[in-house]
Amino acid sequence: MRSTTKMMEDRDLLLGKNVSTFYDDPVHFVKGSGVWLWDAEGRKYLDCYNNVPHVGHCNERVVEAISRQANTLNIHTRYLHDGILDYVEKLTATTASSLDTAILTCTGSEANDIALRMAEAMTGKRGIIATDATYHGNTSLVSQLSKSNVPTVGFGLSQFFRFVEAPDSYRRPDPDGILFANSVATQIAALEEDGTGFAALV
């Protein structure tokens, strides 16, 4: 097993220096189960960040379903297959009747990108407001919604973006959300005034 120093060196070499880690002293996880994660030293952590709100780590039903499907067929949606139709049928049955179709994506980046394309299609406008200090994905469009990326990367889309401070009940108490709502309203007005128009808040 690599040491933390070696792991960080190898990450820079193999993944590139722009793949960030959490914390000044990165955590090296080796296994997970339910709501728990374990690091390389055997310490146990309650995971309040990753996929736990959905199904938990190593959920037996999910692992079995993935294994069963991988053992049967692994294709994309441009071929006919009952599995995807069955899944979307079950999924949309849990939502309001007006939500009767689904666009399936592989990543959050794709999901956010498609959502913003839909917002533009529905409104005819391109202005996007995002909270600062957030991450929305890796595509050319949504990567620029992370304020730290805007000055150095992208394809000149920054004129369509406005940022507001993310709600922070600890540092900036705003129990009724008035400060946040006013910030958003100010940016909507600016987008409308410059002719870009307001399409979406992320």
Side-chain angles (χ1 to χ4, degrees):
M1 188 182 317
R2 296 173 175 91
S3 68
T4 299
T5 302
K6 176 66 171 153
M7 189 170 287
M8 292 300 292
E9 289 171 359
D10 288 353
R11 278 175 62 93
D12 284 353
L13 285 171
L14 299 168
L15 304 179
K17 292 181 182 287
N18 290 327
V19 179
S20 60
T21 58
F22 287 139
Y23 314 117
D24 293 332
D25 184 15
V27 184
H28 176 190
F29 288 122
V30 294
K31 69 175 184 173
S33 179
V35 298
W36 301 104
L37 290 167
W38 285 265
D39 70 12
E41 311 299 317
R43 288 178 295 231
K44 187 177 179 181
Y45 298 76
L46 174 63
D47 186 359
C48 299
Y49 182 80
N50 283 297
N51 300 318
V52 171
H54 305 291
V55 296
H57 295 281
C58 304
N59 180 293
E60 289 181 13
R61 287 177 60 198
V62 173
V63 170
E64 192 277 326
I66 291 169
S67 176
R68 185 174 63 245
Q69 185 60 48
N71 228 355
T72 305
L73 181 65
N74 191 359
I75 57 171
H76 51 69
T77 58
R78 296 190 188 263
Y79 297 108
L80 297 180
H81 185 258
D82 282 320
I84 193 165
L85 300 175
D86 294 342
Y87 175 74
V88 172
E89 195 169 52
K90 288 179 183 176
L91 180 65
T92 56
T94 68
T95 64
S97 60
S98 61
L99 300 174
D100 58 1
T101 59
I103 296 176
L104 301 180
T105 64
C106 295
T107 67
S109 296
E110 287 177 82
N112 287 334
D113 202 284
I114 288 172
L116 294 178
R117 287 166 49 200
M118 288 176 165
E120 181 181 353
M122 293 301 295
T123 65
K125 300 176 180 180
R126 302 195 81 186
I128 303 165
I129 300 170
T131 52
D132 61 359
T134 54
Y135 170 78
H136 298 290
N138 288 317
T139 67
S140 293
L141 174 60
V142 298
S143 67
Q144 292 180 75
L145 294 176
S146 299
K147 199 172 181 182
S148 60
N149 291 342
V150 173
T152 57
V153 296
F155 290 93
L157 300 173
S158 61
Q159 73 268 25
F160 301 114
F161 305 135
R162 299 291 184 277
F163 295 96
V164 294
E165 286 188 332
D168 186 338
S169 59
Y170 178 71
R171 292 173 187 83
R172 291 181 310 281
D174 183 17
D176 299 320
I178 301 298
L179 296 174
F180 180 69
N182 288 343
S183 295
V184 172
T186 298
Q187 295 302 340
I188 290 173
L191 286 165
E192 294 296 341
E193 186 177 331
D194 73 14
T196 303
F198 172 61
L201 169 67
V202 180

